[in-house]
């Protein structure tokens, strides 16, 4: 079982952080000293996060309007949206200040970075997610399916895989990037409760076995959306976690 | 009339993952990870991870009797 929505409201409040307070001085100095392969790997992952977090921050707003049955659920969606916007600002700050990606604003920098990620990743965040968000805005009965895609797959599989890959990559770089690493740890901390919250929504909805099977199948495929940026070992780990998670939320809540 | 006295068995505590809100209930265990029902949290191997978010055992805290954050 998973805690109630009131607990998530309190948890979200206790975990707030300021993306502008992270010191990127060492990262800015480190970037030009990285090996080409290292910088390609880091930038590829950062590009994925810029695209992913920008999209989720934009489209999550449809969800909290649909949480009509429980005010606390609605509050949690709002808290999560605040986190996602902060994540988007953090990654934009890194690509702007550390990497020097050009663009007058976040949207222009995402446009520059889009070619660095696989079409599968772009399709997930810039086509499937907006479509699901539109479904939710039209009919709040679509909320459970939307949470299945958003929390279980996009956050639980795709972004989780990317987070672990980026942290591992940064640890292995020839020059340290402590600010980026610190911010990524804080993003991962936020995402853990987001996934817990989504799991609670799914658990409460009591979805039937064929819907669960579909979620499982989609998640297994989604893990490969990062292409060559994620190792097959790491894909296997996140797929295993995805399966365990879905089995856990299949337990009947008393 | 005799009253058979039995030693009260303390109820095994439930544990809360502070990262994601998952509650480990020893009565349920985590069979999919090889943790059978009836396993106290303290007896779970140290490399076990939260089934919801992947957090480590050290990220859990014990829930007090009467503490029901799932409500």
């Amino acid at each position: 079982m998973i805690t109630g929505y009131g607990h998530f409201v309190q948890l979200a409040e206790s975990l707030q952080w300021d993306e502008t307070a992270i010191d990127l001085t060492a990262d800015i100095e480190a970037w030009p000293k990285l090996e080409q392969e290292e910088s390609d790997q880091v930038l590829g992952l950062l590009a994925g996060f810029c695209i992913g977090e920008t999209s989720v921050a934009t489209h999550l707003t449809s969800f909290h309007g649909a949480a009509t049955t429980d005010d606390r659920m609605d509050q949690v969606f709002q808290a999560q949206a605040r986190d996602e916007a902060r994540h988007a600002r953090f990654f934009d700050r890194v690509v702007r200040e550390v990497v020097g990606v050009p663009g007058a604003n976040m949207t222009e920098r995402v446009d520059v970075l889009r070619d660095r990620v696989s079409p599968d990743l772009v399709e997930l965040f810039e086509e499937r997610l907006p479509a699901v968000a539109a479904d939710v805005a039209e009919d709040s009965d679509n909320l459970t399916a939307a949470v299945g895609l958003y929390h279980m797959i996009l956050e639980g599989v795709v972004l989780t895989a990317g987070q672990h890959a980026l942290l591992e990559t940064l640890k292995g770089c020839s020059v340290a990037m402590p600010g980026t690493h610190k911010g990524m740890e804080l993003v991962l901390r936020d995402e853990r409760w987001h996934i817990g919250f989504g799991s609670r929504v799914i658990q409460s909805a009591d979805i039937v076995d064929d819907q669960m099977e579909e979620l499982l199948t989609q998640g297994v495929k989604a893990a490969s959306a990062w292409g060559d940026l994620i190792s097959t070992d790491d894909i296997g780990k996140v797929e295993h976690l995805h399966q365990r998670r879905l089995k856990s939320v299949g337990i009947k809540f008393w | 009339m005799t009253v058979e006295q039995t030693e009260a068995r303390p109820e095994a505590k439930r544990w809360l993952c502070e990262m994601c809100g998952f509650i480990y209930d020893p009565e349920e265990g985590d069979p999919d990870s090889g943790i059978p029902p009836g396993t106290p949290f303290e007896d779970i191997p140290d490399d076990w991870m939260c089934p919801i978010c992947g957090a480590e055992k050290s990220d859990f805290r014990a829930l007090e009797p009467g503490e029901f954050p799932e409500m």
Side-chain angles (χ1 to χ4, degrees):
Chain A
M1 66 201 71
I2 299 170
T3 54
Y5 300 128
H7 177 86
F8 286 111
V9 172
Q10 292 173 358
L11 185 59
E13 282 305 310
S14 71
L15 297 177
Q16 293 302 300
W17 53 284
D18 179 0
E19 79 283 359
T20 64
I22 293 179
D23 186 357
L24 294 175
T25 306
D27 304 56
I28 293 168
E29 290 176 8
W31 184 256
K33 299 175 185 172
L34 291 179
E35 302 289 337
Q36 185 64 49
E37 195 177 304
E38 292 176 327
S39 58
D40 285 346
Q41 174 77 1
V42 171
L43 185 53
L45 290 165
L46 287 173
F49 280 109
C50 286
I51 288 166
E53 298 284 5
T54 303
S55 181
V56 300
T58 301
H59 296 291
L60 188 62
T61 51
S62 299
F63 288 53
H64 69 76
T68 54
T69 58
D70 191 323
D71 285 345
R72 289 174 307 170
M73 185 199 294
D74 192 60
Q75 281 182 278
V76 185
F77 274 123
Q78 290 185 56
Q80 184 180 352
R82 185 175 55 186
D83 281 0
E84 306 294 10
R86 179 174 56 239
H87 298 171
R89 291 193 305 269
F90 167 70
F91 289 114
D92 183 61
R93 193 180 157 222
V94 174
V95 300
R96 183 178 77 246
E97 295 182 25
V98 176
V99 181
V101 171
N105 52 47
M106 195 185 295
T107 301
E108 288 189 10
R109 284 184 283 278
V110 166
D111 287 342
V112 169
L113 292 169
R114 194 172 283 107
D115 286 342
R116 287 200 165 258
V117 300
S118 77
D120 288 342
L121 197 81
V122 174
E123 193 263 345
L124 275 174
F125 284 103
E126 297 192 342
E127 293 176 30
R128 282 197 66 193
L129 179 58
V132 160
D135 287 345
V136 171
E138 187 179 314
D139 185 352
S140 60
D141 286 348
N142 294 320
L143 182 61
T144 300
V147 169
L149 171 67
Y150 187 108
H151 293 76
M152 298 290 103
I153 294 168
L154 295 184
E155 295 208 299
V157 176
V158 181
L159 293 181
T160 296
Q163 284 148 14
H164 287 291
L166 183 53
L167 286 170
E168 283 303 306
T169 299
L170 290 172
K171 276 184 200 167
C173 278
S174 54
V175 192
M177 294 178 63
T180 306
H181 192 278
K182 176 65 181 174
M184 190 69 253
E185 286 183 323
L186 292 170
V187 168
L188 179 58
R189 188 183 69 177
D190 289 344
E191 298 292 1
R192 288 193 199 274
W193 81 252
H194 298 174
I195 291 165
F197 166 54
S199 298
R200 171 59 197 249
V201 173
I202 295 290
Q203 186 178 61
S204 301
D206 193 21
I207 65 177
V208 297
D209 284 344
D210 57 351
Q211 288 174 304
M212 188 68 79
E213 185 68 32
E214 188 185 344
L215 266 181
L216 184 64
T217 306
Q218 286 183 48
V220 169
K221 286 161 55 179
S224 305
W226 289 95
D228 293 338
L229 293 169
I230 307 277
S231 70
T232 48
D233 274 353
D234 285 346
I235 290 174
K237 285 178 190 170
V238 75
E239 284 174 359
H240 178 64
L241 182 59
H242 173 63
Q243 290 170 22
R244 283 185 73 209
R245 181 183 302 129
L246 287 185
K247 285 180 183 175
S248 288
V249 303
I251 297 169
K252 281 229 178 272
F253 182 74
W254 51 263
Chain B
M1 182 166 70
T2 57
V3 175
E4 190 174 283
Q5 291 181 314
T6 55
E7 187 176 328
R9 195 173 164 204
E11 193 173 314
K13 282 187 176 178
R14 301 183 311 152
W15 286 69
L16 171 71
C17 176
E18 296 197 286
M19 297 288 112
C20 76
F22 171 73
I23 297 171
Y24 176 80
D25 187 336
E27 286 188 12
E28 295 178 357
D30 182 14
D32 292 317
S33 299
I35 311 297
T39 305
F41 185 81
E42 295 85 345
D43 293 348
I44 297 174
D46 289 340
D47 63 351
W48 177 85
M49 294 188 299
C50 172
I52 297 296
C53 73
E56 299 175 349
K57 278 189 74 178
S58 57
D59 294 313
F60 280 71
R61 70 165 176 88
L63 290 172
E64 296 303 320
E67 190 177 359
F68 296 101
E70 64 269 35
M71 298 300 194

